[in-house]
Amino acid sequence: MSAFFKYAAVAGWVQLDPMRAVTVRPVQRGGLRAERRALTAEQAEGLLGAARGLAESGPAVPGPAAPGAGGGRRRPDQRTELRDGLIVLLLAAVGPRVSELTAANAEDFFVNGGTRYWRIFGKGGRTRDVPLPGPVAEVLDAYLAEGRGRLDRGREPKALLLSWRGRRLARGDVQGVIDRVLARVEPGRRRSVTPHGLRHTTATHLLAAATDMDAVRRVLGHADLSTLGRYRDELPGELEAAMRVHPLLGPLERRRGG
């Protein structure tokens, strides 16, 4: 919107650029809501651990009935724990746009050379094949074998993620899924986050781990490397960690130790 109105003012379509009055600029990382920024390693590990645990065991006590399903406990065909765990794992580990996640079909996941891939259909008609980490692939396989079949009502035969009514999961439902998983994280490691914040988390931690920038770009589906700057947040202690393992000083450290 900022770029559009800047051009509109230059082209003479409008006399005043309303976006000049916006207090938070896209480049001001610290000015964004905390929910849209990357989780720290401890926070991300807590969320991923809760998602994995939810997918593996489900709730200790059966939850309330889904909205509109009547009173009492949820029936087996309304249980969404496996699906919810998969959603958070995909968002945090792969960093898709929420629209890419909800538009995914079961047939978009395939195996090549023993590795499970997700063919993501992104912006501008571009597609990318992203390999899934082992723990995520395991939960995906379990969901396809068990969880999805419980939710399937035959209404959305291709959709990967289904609501308890058997419809393709809507974009607006994803935040509720994240919040349910967050409720399982111990308070000291819990912080609210949006789907876009998990996309920031993916980019930030991959780059902090010295992953090749072009590889990160391809995982996220960006057209060029410059876009990564908007998804890279600062992490506590990352500069100190980088200087402790300085590549130029490694030989000197080894020589002194010898």
Side-chain angles (χ1 to χ4, degrees):
M1 293 299 292
S2 299
F4 172 78
F5 277 106
K6 182 178 181 180
Y7 177 80
V10 172
W13 300 347
V14 296
Q15 295 186 6
L16 295 175
D17 179 358
M19 299 304 291
R20 292 176 66 89
V22 174
T23 56
V24 177
R25 302 287 178 181
V27 296
Q28 292 178 302
R29 307 294 313 126
L32 295 178
R33 298 196 317 271
E35 293 83 355
R36 291 179 62 87
R37 299 181 63 190
L39 298 178
T40 65
E42 291 76 14
Q43 293 165 347
E45 288 168 3
L47 180 62
L48 289 171
R52 186 76 184 271
L54 182 65
E56 290 178 347
S57 61
V61 179
R73 296 178 176 180
R74 286 178 292 174
R75 304 194 310 262
D77 63 344
Q78 295 172 345
R79 300 289 288 272
T80 61
E81 292 83 17
L82 192 54
R83 183 207 67 184
D84 292 354
L86 175 63
I87 287 173
V88 171
L89 287 169
L90 287 173
L91 284 171
V94 182
R97 302 174 179 91
V98 67
S99 58
E100 295 171 342
L101 178 70
T102 55
N105 293 324
E107 63 189 19
D108 298 339
F109 296 82
F110 62 95
V111 177
N112 185 18
T115 300
R116 172 73 84 165
Y117 286 83
W118 177 10
R119 177 159 292 165
I120 303 176
F121 295 86
K123 284 185 175 181
R126 295 187 296 270
T127 62
R128 61 190 189 275
D129 293 343
V130 180
L132 299 182
V136 181
E138 291 174 7
V139 175
L140 170 69
D141 290 339
Y143 172 72
L144 291 175
E146 306 170 23
R148 188 185 180 282
R150 295 180 190 155
L151 302 172
D152 189 11
R153 305 288 190 275
R155 297 168 180 167
E156 297 281 355
K158 293 185 177 182
L160 173 71
L161 301 173
L162 298 169
S163 70
W164 67 271
R165 295 179 182 274
R167 300 287 189 186
R168 183 183 291 273
L169 198 69
R171 294 176 57 175
D173 297 330
V174 176
Q175 184 64 57
V177 170
I178 296 173
D179 292 341
R180 284 197 294 275
V181 178
L182 273 173
R184 291 174 163 265
V185 180
E186 56 188 274
R189 305 170 78 185
R190 184 190 307 158
R191 202 202 79 195
S192 297
V193 67
T194 63
H196 202 70
L198 290 178
R199 184 166 162 85
H200 279 259
T201 299
T202 303
T204 296
H205 288 280
L206 285 176
L207 291 171
T211 306
D212 179 73
M213 290 185 65
D214 192 59
V216 179
R217 176 193 67 79
R218 290 157 57 197
V219 167
L220 296 182
H222 290 150
D224 55 71
L225 286 173
S226 62
T227 311
L228 282 180
R230 291 186 284 143
Y231 287 81
R232 172 71 169 91
D233 289 324
E234 293 183 4
L235 294 172
E238 64 176 335
L239 292 182
E240 292 79 0
M243 297 307 286
R244 281 197 299 269
V245 294
H246 199 296
L248 298 180
L249 299 180
L252 295 180
E253 291 288 342
R254 288 193 293 271
R255 191 179 308 162
R256 187 178 64 180

